[in-house]
Amino acid sequence: MDVKQKGKRLKALKAAFPHTIPILAGFGFLGIAYGILMNVSGFSFWYPLLISIIVFGGSLQFVMVTMLLSAFAPVQTLIMALLVQVRHLFYGIAMLDKYKGLGWKRFYLILGLCDETFSINCSIEPPEDVDKGWFMLFVTMLNRLYWITGSLLGGLLGSLIEFNTEGLDFAMSAMFVVILLEQLIKEKSHISSIIGLAASIICLIIFGADSFMIPTMITILCLLTFLRKPIEKAGDPI
């Protein structure tokens, strides 16, 4: 029986791994960039490693670099974390049926859920002879391992190699630009993108560069919620 279970797990791992290769490339680079950024910001290599294990939120972790270097503001930090990661609430709701009946596996699947893992587990059906629960578990586990390993390597490289890291913190901005471009390609009416751009500019003018982020996120969330039906009717993703 044990041999049979090992064979089932190995088959699921072999089926899951090819789907995670693009994530390996992306998470490898971004994880290393995050680890180096943490190191040059004054943190030892184990900080990005520990945060990647506990938090595991790519965009939030980049934002946390500034938070950790700023004055202690727990309420503002909590609000920012919730707003940055609020999309995971909708991911979780969408995966309720997928995770049903998976026993203990669902706890790790919930813990390791991220944008890329959601995309794979939500859209790809494993082969008929592959256990669905183990397939999704290995997709989640591999993607999380890629990010954690990249963060560790970045933290170690940052402490061992001396090089010019100016502009490294732009990696997060570059990633969001790519996400925006992908959104523009998928959209038909561009309502969501216009809301994001307009809200950012208006809040920047009103609140200034140091305080516009939270009002912007709240404004975008409220507008997207209020205009959800017209946006979906236009055929745009939210």
Side-chain angles (χ1 to χ4, degrees):
M1 190 68 173
D2 187 49
V3 175
K4 187 177 180 180
Q5 286 295 325
K6 287 183 178 178
K8 180 191 290 188
R9 291 194 291 265
L10 182 60
K11 185 179 289 187
L13 176 60
K14 289 181 178 179
F17 176 68
H19 295 289
T20 67
I21 292 176
I23 313 303
L24 169 60
F27 274 15
F29 173 77
L30 285 173
I32 290 174
Y34 167 69
I36 294 175
L37 179 61
M38 284 287 287
N39 185 268
V40 300
S41 298
F43 298 96
S44 178
F45 76 91
W46 62 268
Y47 274 90
L49 173 62
L50 186 62
I51 292 174
S52 292
I53 293 173
I54 297 175
V55 178
F56 187 54
S59 52
L60 177 60
Q61 288 182 230
F62 275 90
V63 175
M64 280 179 65
V65 178
T66 303
M67 291 180 179
L68 291 170
L69 295 172
S70 303
F72 182 62
V75 176
Q76 184 177 0
T77 300
L78 175 62
I79 294 173
M80 176 64 76
L82 288 174
L83 291 174
V84 171
Q85 301 295 94
V86 70
R87 64 191 185 281
H88 287 186
L89 292 174
F90 302 99
Y91 292 168
I93 293 172
M95 297 300 288
L96 285 176
D97 289 335
K98 287 265 188 179
Y99 290 170
K100 190 176 294 183
L102 295 180
W104 63 267
K105 297 185 187 71
R106 72 182 185 275
F107 295 108
Y108 187 81
L109 290 170
I110 294 169
L111 173 68
L113 186 63
C114 64
D115 299 12
E116 295 75 12
T117 298
F118 170 79
S119 178
I120 296 174
N121 285 341
C122 185
S123 61
I124 295 177
E125 288 293 332
E128 292 183 2
D129 60 339
V130 173
D131 183 272
K132 187 176 181 180
W134 282 109
F135 175 85
M136 291 194 294
L137 185 74
F138 281 123
V139 168
T140 305
M141 189 179 296
L142 287 170
N143 287 344
R144 191 161 183 256
L145 182 63
Y146 299 153
W147 180 262
I148 292 173
T149 304
S151 301
L152 173 60
L153 290 175
L156 291 172
L157 287 173
S159 60
L160 297 175
I161 303 174
E162 292 186 7
F163 54 91
N164 186 6
T165 58
E166 184 178 356
L168 184 64
D169 53 350
F170 187 71
M172 197 63 207
S173 301
M175 187 179 77
F176 280 121
V177 170
V178 172
I179 293 173
L180 173 61
L181 292 175
E182 289 181 350
Q183 183 79 1
L184 289 172
I185 292 172
K186 293 177 182 178
E187 288 179 341
K188 296 178 180 178
S189 65
H190 306 301
I191 297 175
S192 300
S193 299
I194 292 172
I195 288 174
L197 183 62
S200 300
I201 294 174
I202 293 172
C203 289
L204 177 62
I205 294 172
I206 295 175
F207 298 99
D210 295 330
S211 307
F212 83 103
M213 185 62 72
I214 291 179
T216 298
M217 299 290 285
I218 294 174
T219 302
I220 292 174
L221 180 61
C222 292
L223 288 174
L224 288 178
T225 302
F226 181 74
L227 298 173
R228 179 178 178 180
K229 289 186 177 179
I231 294 173
E232 290 180 343
K233 188 175 181 180
D236 290 345
I238 296 182

